[in-house]
Amino acid sequence: MRSRVLVLALLLAACSPGQDAVTTVPLEAVTTTTAPDAAATSTTVVTTTTAPPVTTTTMDPGALIEVEFSAGDIIGSGRFEVPLGETVTIRVTSDVAEEIHVHGYDLTLELVAGTTGELTFVADIPGVFEVELERSHLPLFDLEVGG
């Protein structure tokens, strides 16, 4: 039992700071084997991870996507689906000066701290495009344009 606790403690200590996910290892997934002469010990740990769920929102005609960036948090993030040819308005409120960048369309919008900015365009390129805070390199959401 002591070797299992030591193995789990070593695994937790080896995690890098700032990791987004924590993996829990049940004790039954830890196997310790000791050689007959007690000089060599082998430990096997089996882990599984799962990705967080992605929320997809299908937008109504004349799509308005609203996102807020406040105190380092993104409110209203996810994946938004719009039909090909749809007019899309992206409305972003930010507490810091930033630039919004719609990848694939190469559209940008300068935001002044404490204000709301809007970017309107026709979604005429099919695919999935990241919309991000350009200077911070933080993804706001994904825009999925149907074919």
Side-chain angles (χ1 to χ4, degrees), residues 53-67 75-84 86 88-89 127-129 140-146:
V54 174
T55 302
T56 301
T57 304
T58 302
M59 304 304 294
D60 292 329
L64 171 63
I65 301 170
E66 295 185 275
V67 180
I75 303 158
S77 188
R79 176 177 280 200
F80 298 92
E81 293 180 357
V82 298
L84 186 64
E86 186 66 56
V88 176
T89 299
V128 178
F129 306 95
L140 287 173
F141 61 88
D142 289 324
L143 177 66
E144 183 175 343
V145 180

Side-chain angles (χ1 to χ4, degrees), residues 74-135:
I74 299 169
I75 303 158
S77 188
R79 176 177 280 200
F80 298 92
E81 293 180 357
V82 298
L84 186 64
E86 186 66 56
T87 298
V88 176
T89 299
I90 298 172
R91 183 180 296 158
V92 180
T93 303
S94 177
D95 61 353
V96 297
E98 240 318 339
E99 179 182 64
I100 305 305
H101 182 212
V102 181
H103 289 264
Y105 286 83
D106 204 25
L107 299 172
T108 60
L109 170 67
E110 281 295 325
L111 291 175
V112 176
T115 64
T116 299
E118 284 188 359
L119 178 64
T120 301
F121 62 99
V122 175
D124 56 1
I125 305 170
V128 178
F129 306 95
E130 182 181 73
V131 178
E132 74 168 332
L133 295 171
E134 186 69 14
R135 289 190 280 274

Side-chain angles (χ1 to χ4, degrees), residues 38-54:
T41 301
S42 169
T43 302
T44 303
V45 178
V46 178
T47 62
T48 59
T49 58
T50 57
V54 174

